[in-house]
Amino acid sequence: MTALDLSSPVAVVGTGTMGQGIAQVALVAGHPVRLYDAAPGRAREAAEAIGARLDRLVEKDRLTAADRDAARARLLPAGTLAELADCSLVVEAVLERLDVKQELFRELEGIVDDDCLLATNTSSLSVTAIGGALRAPGRFVGLHFFNPAPLLPLVEVVSGFATDVTYATRAYETARAWGKAPVACADTPGFIVNRIARPFYAEAFAVYEAQGADPATIDAVLRESGGFRMGAFELTDLIGQDVNESVTRSVWESFFQDVRFTPSLAQRRLVESGRLGRKTGQGWYDHGGGAERPEPDTAEQRQPPAYVVAEGDLGPASDLLALIREAGIPVREEDEDNGTRLVLPSGGQLVLADGQTSVEFRDVVYFDLALDYRKATRIALSASQDTAPQTLAEATGLFQALGKKVTVIGDVPGMIVARTVARIIDLAHDAVAKGVATEEDIDTAMRLGVNYPLGPFEWSRRLGRSWAYALLDDLHLRDPSGRYAPSLALYRHAHASDKREGTAS
């Protein structure tokens, strides 16, 4: 089924920030739009606010004056739900309470035509549960826009258990006709983005709780090594600690308190103290006037090693060999099966984070994963109390000679970027195996919904089929709570590769 005809009226119920944004998207696309809000006068105020935003688009040459005037003429505030009777699509953006939404849609079902598409913009409630209150839940879908709706392209089109594919397709095609990037998703806690993004926050908080590093340092490593737009601490301060924790808790409870989604105690304490981020002036960071942003921990300058010995090709970190040579440091290569380490003149080893800890070995310094070792401006190292000072100094000097800032964190298995990316990859494979979405839609959702530098499957292909499984398996041995246990889907993915390559044992 094709998208709704532009002559079809679209209604938005709920005129907060998200409701206004969705209405603006439909309006600019060319639909007549009706606005309704239960609070008297709110719909008219919202229409005026949308009109003002259209004026700003004209000022920025993003909309012609004629198109603005035509759009304003198509925008009508409604005084009652009955005025939405002729609409072909009604999108709800009201309070995130199941009973409120169910009651609204029960009322709408008695007003609109039988073929009218009914949609919820919920981000945390079950689409199936909301639609379960309807006589005909087949026409009920989730249309989850991201804030601000006029700017962010992603829309998760969520099919509830009873949603008819005809209506899901209509919703998908309509979102695409509005200039959005829709992705199809089954009704699962968190849908795609809020389900798969949990480790980005959880692992940063876990490193902090283990006293591996402070928030400013963790954020810097995620940005400058991992390639993420923002670190987890600054991003949750922007979102609001209460909002972010609420989503995490909702996903955790909806998955019957699955340990993989366990909320952070440190974040809970932040919420309890009223330190909610930018909106209260204090969160992980101080956002008060004149407050200085704390600097990430950065190692002092050290001398680079006279040479390094490369045992193997370093796997996902293989680009480092060329960088080391370009820095004028001789590289002696030794062939070794499964070798993925650099040996320093002191005899110590430099190893890519693999889920193990430095304290387990005689003299090992771990270095974290980078999105692009050539472009990365910071590299994190991890060492234990037993690591020889000379080994750590040589490792620090090596990366500094490559033009990188160096951060030394605690002896945290999987470090920061590596464990985060591995867990994101795992949840993505698990989601595909359970029919939540396709690999392509998951990659699209994570790049457009939360600005990840790569989608999980793009990361997986770049790092190798067994990389995430091997790292998580080692992490699981050191933390057998189940938090890091690789999913069956990731296990199958890694071992299927082994069979094709003839290396299965």
Side-chain angles (χ1 to χ4, degrees):
M1 180 175 287
T2 57
L4 291 175
D5 188 272
L6 290 180
S7 64
S8 302
V10 171
V12 177
V13 179
T15 59
T17 301
M18 184 59 78
Q20 290 183 32
I22 296 170
Q24 181 179 327
V25 170
L27 190 66
V28 171
H31 289 272
V33 174
R34 313 279 171 75
L35 284 173
Y36 174 79
D37 197 292
R42 286 276 179 83
R44 188 166 300 280
E45 291 173 4
E48 292 172 356
I50 293 170
R53 283 198 289 273
L54 295 179
D55 288 341
R56 288 196 290 274
L57 290 177
V58 172
E59 293 169 2
K60 296 177 181 178
D61 292 325
R62 296 179 183 174
L63 190 70
T64 67
D67 286 341
R68 173 200 59 196
D69 294 342
R72 277 182 162 171
R74 295 193 303 271
L75 180 61
L76 295 174
T80 65
L81 283 176
E83 295 175 48
L84 313 183
D86 64 338
C87 290
S88 298
L89 166 63
V90 180
V91 183
E92 162 274 315
V94 302
L95 189 65
E96 283 287 275
R97 274 182 44 187
L98 180 62
D99 59 338
V100 172
K101 294 178 187 289
Q102 286 179 330
E103 180 56 34
L104 170 63
F105 283 110
R106 272 194 293 261
E107 192 170 353
L108 283 168
E109 196 172 32
I111 294 171
V112 299
D113 289 341
D114 290 343
D115 196 42
C116 176
L117 179 62
L118 299 177
T120 175
N121 183 60
T122 185
S123 61
S124 61
L125 299 176
S126 163
V127 171
T128 300
I130 300 171
L134 301 178
R135 296 191 308 275
R139 59 168 165 170
F140 186 74
V141 300
L143 276 178
H144 182 215
F145 289 77
F146 287 73
N147 194 28
L151 296 180
L152 295 186
L154 184 68
V155 177
E156 293 177 317
V157 181
V158 186
S159 293
F161 186 78
T163 301
D164 189 293
V165 67
T166 300
Y167 289 96
T169 303
R170 184 187 300 175
Y172 183 97
E173 294 299 335
T174 296
R176 185 158 64 176
W178 291 357
K180 295 301 180 182
V183 292
C185 176
D187 185 22
T188 184
F191 309 143
I192 297 174
V193 172
N194 281 331
R195 171 177 176 156
I196 295 173
R198 294 348 292 164
F200 179 74
Y201 312 108
E203 294 312 307
F205 298 161
V207 172
Y208 168 74
E209 289 173 341
Q211 300 187 52
D214 61 84
T217 297
I218 296 169
D219 277 352
V221 172
L222 286 168
R223 289 193 314 269
E224 300 173 38
S225 182
F228 291 97
R229 187 75 59 85
M230 298 179 76
F233 296 90
E234 57 190 341
L235 181 55
T236 53
D237 265 3
L238 175 63
I239 294 168
Q241 298 302 330
D242 53 339
V243 174
N244 181 260
E245 198 225 16
S246 176
V247 173
T248 298
R249 189 167 294 276
S250 173
V251 172
W252 175 61
E253 290 175 348
S254 296
F255 276 115
F256 308 104
Q257 301 187 353
D258 186 329
V259 68
R260 295 177 301 166
F261 301 103
T262 301
S264 161
L265 181 59
Q267 188 180 38
R268 174 94 290 259
R269 292 291 179 258
L270 208 63
V271 172
E272 289 173 339
S273 69
R275 299 185 175 193
L276 307 183
R278 291 191 182 183
K279 61 187 176 183
T280 61
Q282 180 74 51
W284 296 110
Y285 299 106
D286 184 351
H287 300 280
E292 292 186 6
R293 186 69 173 267
E295 292 294 324
D297 184 68
T298 302
E300 295 180 0
Q301 195 67 35
R302 302 291 185 185
Q303 286 295 317
Y307 65 89
V308 296
V309 178
E311 295 184 351
D313 62 4
L314 299 189
S318 58
D319 288 350
L320 283 176
L321 297 180
L323 294 177
I324 294 170
R325 291 189 176 96
E326 290 168 17
I329 299 172
V331 177
R332 305 173 187 173
E333 294 193 49
E334 293 185 2
D335 291 332
E336 183 172 316
D337 290 342
N338 300 318
T340 54
R341 64 185 63 85
L342 293 172
V343 180
L344 300 165
S346 63
Q349 298 179 19
L350 189 56
V351 182
L352 176 62
D354 59 7
Q356 301 182 84
T357 57
S358 180
V359 76
E360 299 171 51
F361 303 97
R362 183 183 64 81
D363 200 10
V364 165
V365 172
Y366 278 104
F367 65 95
D368 208 351
L369 181 69
L371 172 68
D372 184 327
Y373 282 99
R374 184 172 292 276
K375 295 179 179 178
T377 58
R378 182 179 300 271
I379 296 294
L381 303 180
S382 175
S384 76
Q385 66 272 22
D386 296 331
T387 303
Q390 181 61 23
T391 297
L392 182 57
E394 289 177 345
T396 300
L398 174 64
F399 281 105
Q400 289 172 336
L402 306 186
K404 317 299 183 187
K405 295 177 182 177
V406 174
T407 284
V408 180
I409 69 170
D411 191 14
V412 179
M415 300 194 67
I416 297 171
V417 179
R419 69 195 289 175
T420 299
V421 170
R423 288 208 59 217
I424 289 171
I425 289 172
D426 183 47
L427 290 187
H429 277 280
D430 186 53
V432 169
K434 291 176 178 173
V436 172
T438 65
E439 291 185 8
E440 181 181 6
D441 276 356
I442 288 175
D443 276 352
T444 297
M446 301 313 291
R447 280 189 283 101
L448 298 183
V450 279
N451 287 314
Y452 283 4
L454 293 175
F457 294 97
E458 292 171 318
W459 270 114
S460 186
R461 287 188 289 272
R462 175 182 289 198
L463 296 170
R465 292 177 62 94
S466 61
W467 177 84
Y469 174 81
L471 187 143
L472 290 176
D473 195 40
D474 276 336
L475 258 172
H476 177 54
L477 289 174
R478 287 150 186 83
D479 179 358
S481 65
R483 178 190 182 100
Y484 300 103
S487 66
L488 179 58
L490 191 63
Y491 176 88
R492 286 172 171 158
H493 177 76
H495 287 76
S497 171
D498 286 344
K499 287 183 179 179
R500 280 196 297 274
E501 295 170 5
T503 59
S505 57

